[in-house]
Structure formats: structure tokens, C-alpha cells
Amino acid sequence: MQVSSAGGELLPMDANNIISFGCRLNACESDIIKGFAEELGIVDFTLINTCAVTAEAERKLRQTIRKLHCQNPDIKIILTGCASELHPERYIKMDGVVGIISNRTKLSKSEYLKYATDKPAVFNLGHPKVRGFLQIQNGCDQKCTYCIVRLTRGNNVSFCEDDILNRAKALINKGYKEIILTGVNISSYGRDMEPKRNLPFIIRYLLKNVPELTRLGLSSLDPADIDDDLIETIKSEEKLLPHIHESVQSGDDMILKRMARRHTRNQVIEINEKILHARPDVIFGADIIVGFPTETDEMFLGTKKLLTEANLSLLHIFPFSKRPGTPASLMPQIEKKVITNRAKELRKLANDILTKKLTEYLGKDVIILAEDSENAKTNSFLQVKSSTKLVTGKEYLFHCDSVHKNVIIGRPLEKR
Ligand code: SF4
């Protein structure tokens, strides 16, 4: 059995698979589901953890289900995730689909008992244990007008710190070198708890109680939730990796308002200045949506300017995709051609900004974590390639010699 991710590209077909579409959270949940399947001997089914973030994601899902059934008409497919949560009536009718597990209960083992057998099930992950994802919450209380996820995952539910601690220890015992805290909106962690907790609390709690955890990273943060407590934690906790990814979405305040985002462009600039002052080695990443309804050329220009004003280097650019059921789908839409051109233009700019940022590292030494024998990431999540062989999962002091296609090329100086 295999776990494939992102595009859900098909692996050599056999009777059972776990296919994970979409975000890191889905990938993290698919690993947990893999654990259930191993334990319960679920060997005769293929499980797909679906995504509904864009219409394109759902098109790929339907294409995958049809391909799986075409390759093996006896296949038994179980669906879970945001797409099957949103349209169960549509997916249950598809050939090969035998069951749908709700997004809200997909992490309870009891949901899988009916598929259990007494056959042994041994799964390999298909990738070495370097970076593990640790879910700390699910759902979201915000109401961004373009977002379908809040409709498919419900309100913010934070996991209790002891459960998170046990799963962190389990990842370390499995040999993972780095843990990334993930969820739908991790910056809202603890708000629903009594007594209240927050993201800085769980970061400090994990680093205090798992001394073997030397590399802790954060998935996407809502700029509106980055406060002085979190900035102080980023400053003082050395084992917290200096990579901050923010769901910025736009550089125009009117568009941010129409998205129902709770931050302004100036707040992003100020927050990032504060973080850089506290921890100068931080690299910022950001999600940006281009072509949001009513976005004018001038508003788009505001987004372009924000990339440099807020020191954003690692960009994920998303062409706006209308999602039926969201308020944004009812707003006056921008022409598809304009959206495509803006995405292309912003990706080019983002590429140039990253190249400029990477040249700042030439001649310097950095710490890297090897992902395989030649590829690795720096602590701030920059991609590097080694001219000499690396050992997967090992940390190295690494000398940066050159930059090629936005990858730092260099050589290890010593193992850490
Ligand atoms: S913060 Fe907004 S975009 Fe993110 S999950 Fe919540 S509603 Fe969706």
C-alpha cells in the first residue's frame, strides 16, 4: 500500500492505496489513517483523502476515481476529506466508490472497523522519515468569503496538549527529524479550550517536554493572529525554525476587506519588520490569491509592491477559483484571461525576488536537513542541492557556492 500526495498521481495499480489530495493537513491525516489501516488490516480498499479548495482539485479527483475504476473495475474506493464532505451525493454515485467517511470523524478509528480484516497490512510511506506533520487543531471560526474549507471542516476544534505531546513523541520515536505543526488555522489554537491556550503555549509546551525535538516548524499563520507573545516565542525558542508562512492573500486593503480578512497590508509590513528585528534569520513565505472579484490593475499593483515591502520570499500564488457556496462566488468576477496573466506576472516577480534573496547566502554557511542524498532544506526552508552525497535525515553545516534555478548549490562542511 502506498501514500501518494498533492496531485494524487497514480502509483502502479494494486488493490489498495491511500491517495492524499491537497494540503499538508490532509497529508498528515492520511498518515494517521494509514496507521488505522495497518492496525485493522484494511487491505482490500483504496482510500482517497479529497480536497475542495479549487474546482480544479475536484476535477482531478473525479479523473482519478474514473482512472482507478477503469484500471480495476473491482476496485473498492472509500472517500473522505473536503470534496466528499461538500458533495457526498455526487461522489457516492461514482463507479467504484463504496463508502464516504465524514471529514469530521475521519480521525476516529471506529469509522474504519467495518473495513477491517484479519490480514496483516504493512505499509511503506514511499518517502524517508524526515519531516512529520503534527495536527494541533481542525476547523476554523473565520468567514473568509472565498473559502470553502470552513464549510467542510466546521468550527475551530483544538486538540488537547497531552494528545499532541504523545503524537509528537510518537513521530520522534518513528525517526522523524523535524515536526511541522499543522491544522486548518493553527494560529487560532486553544481559543476554544478551558482554560484558554494559544499557539505560543503549545510551541513552548512541546519544546519543553520533548527535548529530542530539535526542529519544530509552523504551517501557515493568519497575520491577524501574530501577536507579541508569538513574536517573543519566535525570538526566544531557538528550536523553532526561522520560517514564517503567512496567509496574506492580497496587498490591497479593499480586496482584503471583500475577502473578510482581518489584517491590512500595513499590518503585514509592521509584523514582519517586528519579527525580523526579533529574529533576523527568518524567511517569510506567503499565500496570495490573484484575480479576486473586483480586483483592479491598481489593486493588483498593491499586491506586487507588498512582496518587497513585507520581505516575502517564498510565495504560493493562487489564481482565484470561484467556489459555489461562497460569498465571493456571487461577486462580480474577473475575466479568466486577466486572472491567468496576473498569476503569471506575479509568479515571475516572486521568482526574481527569491533569486535575489538566495544570492545573499553566497559564500555563507548554513544549517541544512538532508531530505535525500542530494536535496535538503535550510532551517528557513530554502531549497539546497549538495555537490557531494548527503545522508537522508542528517543535519549538516553547509557552504553555499552558487544559485541555480532558485536552488542554492553547495557542499557539506560537517555533519551536526
Ligand atoms: S482563515 Fe479563512 S481561509 Fe483560512 S480556513 Fe479560515 S475561513 Fe478559510
Side-chain angles (χ1 to χ4, degrees), residues 140 142-144 146-147 149-150 184-185 222 261:
C140 184
Q142 307 311 324
K143 295 191 170 24
C144 303
Y146 53 84
C147 181
V149 177
R150 65 186 182 85
V184 172
N185 187 358
D222 190 330
R261 300 292 294 170

Side-chain angles (χ1 to χ4, degrees), residues 21-71:
F21 279 85
C23 60
R24 283 176 164 178
L25 178 55
N26 259 15
C28 171
E29 291 165 338
S30 297
D31 276 351
I32 295 170
I33 295 168
K34 180 190 71 67
F36 296 153
E38 262 175 5
E39 213 179 308
L40 299 170
I42 300 176
V43 288
D44 300 328
F45 294 88
T46 291
L47 186 127
I48 307 182
N49 199 355
T50 67
C51 171
V53 77
T54 61
E56 176 62 9
E58 288 208 63
R59 188 192 64 73
K60 274 193 174 163
L61 167 63
R62 291 190 295 276
Q63 182 198 44
T64 302
I65 294 171
R66 280 193 287 272
K67 233 182 212 171
L68 283 168
H69 185 258
C70 170
Q71 285 174 341

Side-chain angles (χ1 to χ4, degrees), residues 21-307:
F21 279 85
C23 60
R24 283 176 164 178
L25 178 55
N26 259 15
C28 171
E29 291 165 338
S30 297
D31 276 351
I32 295 170
I33 295 168
K34 180 190 71 67
F36 296 153
E38 262 175 5
E39 213 179 308
L40 299 170
I42 300 176
V43 288
D44 300 328
F45 294 88
T46 291
L47 186 127
I48 307 182
N49 199 355
T50 67
C51 171
V53 77
T54 61
E56 176 62 9
E58 288 208 63
R59 188 192 64 73
K60 274 193 174 163
L61 167 63
R62 291 190 295 276
Q63 182 198 44
T64 302
I65 294 171
R66 280 193 287 272
K67 233 182 212 171
L68 283 168
H69 185 258
C70 170
Q71 285 174 341
N72 172 9
D74 304 325
I75 194 157
K76 291 182 272 183
I77 300 171
I78 307 164
L79 297 180
T80 188
C82 296
S84 52
E85 185 80 12
L86 208 55
H87 308 296
E89 73 298 339
R90 181 191 295 175
Y91 289 106
I92 198 64
K93 284 192 222 125
M94 293 189 74
D95 290 337
V97 177
V98 296
I100 291 183
I101 294 174
S102 163
N103 219 8
R104 299 163 204 222
T105 56
K106 67 178 169 186
L107 294 187
S108 54
K109 194 160 62 179
S110 59
E111 283 285 356
Y112 301 87
L113 293 175
K114 58 176 167 281
Y115 306 111
T117 72
D118 52 12
K119 293 180 194 154
V122 181
F123 308 141
N124 76 39
L125 275 179
H127 58 75
K129 294 189 180 92
V130 172
R131 185 167 295 113
F133 297 115
L134 179 59
Q135 185 177 3
I136 62 171
Q137 61 82 237
N138 201 355
C140 184
D141 297 339
Q142 307 311 324
K143 295 191 170 24
C144 303
T145 56
Y146 53 84
C147 181
I148 203 81
V149 177
R150 65 186 182 85
L151 304 177
T152 61
R153 286 185 175 265
N155 284 354
N156 173 40
V157 177
S158 304
F159 300 167
C160 81
E161 57 260 36
D162 291 335
D163 162 50
I164 296 170
L165 180 63
N166 293 336
R167 285 186 289 116
K169 287 180 177 169
L171 285 172
I172 295 290
N173 294 341
K174 277 187 185 160
Y176 284 95
K177 301 292 181 241
E178 182 176 295
I179 290 179
I180 308 288
L181 299 185
T182 190
V184 172
N185 187 358
I186 64 170
S187 34
S188 60
Y189 177 80
R191 272 198 209 129
D192 55 321
M193 296 170 94
E194 276 312 324
K196 294 235 177 299
R197 303 287 194 211
N198 62 9
L199 185 58
F201 164 83
I202 196 69
I203 292 169
R204 289 193 286 260
Y205 184 78
L206 285 172
L207 291 175
K208 181 164 165 266
N209 293 292
V210 192
E212 312 85 344
L213 173 55
T214 58
R215 302 176 62 90
L216 180 63
L218 302 176
S219 57
S220 202
L221 298 174
D222 190 330
D225 296 323
I226 301 179
D227 58 11
D228 291 344
D229 188 8
L230 184 53
I231 295 174
E232 181 48 39
T233 308
I234 293 168
K235 177 180 177 186
S236 58
E237 296 289 351
E238 267 180 39
K239 294 177 182 173
L240 187 63
L241 296 170
H243 172 67
I244 301 297
H245 189 89
E246 298 160 332
S247 50
V248 172
Q249 308 307 4
S250 174
D252 180 82
D253 287 345
M254 179 52 77
I255 292 294
L256 287 169
K257 212 178 184 136
R258 290 175 183 157
M259 287 177 165
R261 300 292 294 170
R262 295 168 300 138
H263 63 270
T264 64
R265 72 186 312 283
N266 283 343
Q267 279 169 339
V268 176
I269 296 169
E270 283 157 24
I271 288 165
N272 291 3
E273 271 166 15
K274 262 185 167 179
I275 293 175
L276 277 179
H277 181 70
R279 182 124 180 222
D281 59 343
V282 163
I283 289 283
F284 294 102
D287 294 335
I288 301 279
I289 294 174
V290 289
F292 185 82
T294 74
E295 185 187 67
T296 62
D297 288 344
E298 199 195 338
M299 291 167 167
F300 178 55
L301 182 60
T303 297
K304 288 199 287 183
K305 287 184 180 162
L306 186 69
L307 299 196

